Amino acid sequence: MNITRRSLLKIVAAFGLAGALLGLPAKAAAQAQELSPTAAWAATLRYRVVPNVTYLTANGYEAKLDVYQPSTATGNTPVVVFIHGGGWTGGTKEASVLNILPYLDMNWAVVNVEYRLAKVSLAPAAVEDCRCALRWVIRNAKEYRFDTDKIVVTGHSAGGHLALTTGMLSDSAGLDRECHGSEVLKVAAIVNWYGITDVNDLLEGANRKTYAVQWLSSLPDREAVAKRVSPLQYVRAGLPPILTIHGDADPTVPYTHATRLQAALDKAGVPNQLLTIPGGKHGGFTKEEYLKSYATIRAFLTKHGLLK
């Protein structure tokens, strides 16, 4: 997801963050401008930033993540694992950093994750990587003071899909072999922004999408792999609460992916909520729609005991 200045202002306004930057003394504001965009924003909110931590090396590729840790927090803090979008073929954690601002404003820790794109490794590599990132969070919880009972995973578009698979996969899926460990990979909630829930649906027919075709490419068993990485295949009782935000006019990820997920979760008895953005496209919502979305996230997290 490419963040324009206009989109930034919508996000900032939606969470009342303008004062965090615009209210800085002139000297401090000037110093912030000299930092990287990621560190500059975090500095305004009194965060310690630990950038580019390698959490996995696979196929000669070093997958990295950034950690944002509240410097004023005492004790363990809830943590959001954010996964960027880009159709599994593009995007970077740096380009998506503005999406984590609402969670910094909540004084949560944030782990911003990158993963292998299609040009490095085809499916299911991205899914495996994000599961490894979750394992890293749990394994390093003591050092970074993460509250492992309050891990929320979120992302937009392909990142929404990866947030779902990260939080929903069962051990029997066989997608945790890239990084071994005894940790139980569980999250407390999933916030899915217009994520793909049925990958096969995007390979052929009316909903065919180039990005999905590129991610699966010419794998001889691509339909089987697509099924294996589709969140709808892992719906079952006992999953964490799931919030989905999706525009009903989305041209990139069909809105039916959200409604089918909701129906399956309801049937399985999984706590869930679907926030529909009427006429909403693939992100780029209005200020009012962002306000409503983030207010819904806060209410959802509060309802499930993750936010006071």
Side-chain angles (χ1 to χ4, degrees):
M1 176 180 174
N2 293 322
I3 300 295
T4 64
R5 178 177 175 82
R6 186 175 181 181
S7 296
L8 163 61
L9 292 175
K10 289 178 182 177
I11 295 171
V12 169
F15 251 73
L17 291 169
L21 181 64
L22 301 179
L24 283 175
K27 182 178 179 180
Q31 291 173 338
Q33 293 300 320
E34 296 176 0
L35 301 173
S36 69
T38 302
W41 277 101
T44 68
L45 298 172
R46 297 184 298 278
Y47 268 73
R48 168 180 176 247
V49 183
V50 184
N52 294 318
V53 178
T54 299
Y55 71 88
L56 172 71
T57 300
N59 296 359
Y61 174 83
E62 291 188 1
K64 298 180 184 297
L65 54 79
D66 301 330
V67 180
Y68 298 78
Q69 189 176 22
S71 58
T72 57
T74 58
N76 294 337
T77 57
V79 55
V80 167
V81 178
F82 182 86
I83 305 170
H84 72 79
W88 309 293
T89 62
T92 64
K93 58 183 172 61
E94 290 80 11
S96 299
V97 71
L98 299 176
N99 291 299
I100 74 173
L101 293 178
Y103 303 101
L104 300 185
D105 191 50
M106 289 160 45
N107 208 38
W108 282 33
V110 176
V111 174
N112 191 14
V113 177
E114 70 178 17
Y115 49 89
R116 284 175 290 171
L117 301 176
K119 63 184 178 182
V120 177
S121 294
L122 300 177
V127 173
E128 295 175 314
D129 292 0
C130 292
R131 291 283 285 182
C132 289
L134 176 59
R135 187 180 299 283
W136 183 94
V137 168
I138 296 170
R139 183 174 290 171
N140 291 276
K142 184 176 181 180
E143 178 181 353
Y144 291 95
R145 303 196 308 273
F146 298 143
D147 185 344
T148 56
D149 290 327
K150 294 183 178 180
I151 300 174
V152 175
V153 60
T154 186
H156 296 224
S157 192
H161 160 268
L162 293 170
L164 289 167
T165 53
T166 298
M168 294 174 67
L169 280 178
S170 61
D171 293 340
S172 62
L175 291 169
D176 294 325
R177 296 168 184 156
E178 196 65 60
C179 50
H180 302 285
S182 59
E183 297 84 4
V184 177
L185 301 185
K186 66 175 184 177
V187 303
I190 302 169
V191 178
N192 160 41
W193 292 75
Y194 39 86
I196 300 96
T197 62
D198 180 356
V199 179
N200 262 311
D201 180 51
L202 306 183
L203 295 181
E204 299 290 349
N207 289 334
R208 182 181 185 273
K209 303 298 179 185
T210 300
Y211 64 84
V213 174
Q214 291 177 345
W215 192 41
L216 277 297
S217 190
S218 297
L219 290 173
D221 55 347
R222 72 171 192 160
E223 288 78 14
V225 174
K227 182 177 180 180
R228 193 178 175 201
V229 297
S230 292
L232 280 171
Q233 297 300 314
Y234 299 99
V235 174
R236 62 195 184 281
L239 289 175
I242 298 174
L243 169 63
T244 294
I245 302 167
H246 209 128
D248 63 9
D250 190 332
T252 305
V253 178
Y255 176 62
T256 53
H257 281 227
T259 57
R260 289 173 61 197
L261 177 63
Q262 181 187 39
L265 293 171
D266 285 344
K267 185 176 180 180
V270 177
N272 75 95
Q273 182 178 349
L274 170 59
L275 173 63
T276 299
I277 306 299
K281 305 296 185 181
H282 195 63
F285 302 146
T286 66
K287 173 184 174 181
E288 290 71 24
E289 289 165 346
Y290 276 120
L291 279 167
K292 184 175 182 180
S293 297
Y294 288 118
T296 300
I297 291 173
R298 284 181 175 268
F300 184 79
L301 296 178
T302 301
K303 178 181 178 180
H304 295 288
L306 301 173
L307 182 66
K308 294 181 181 179

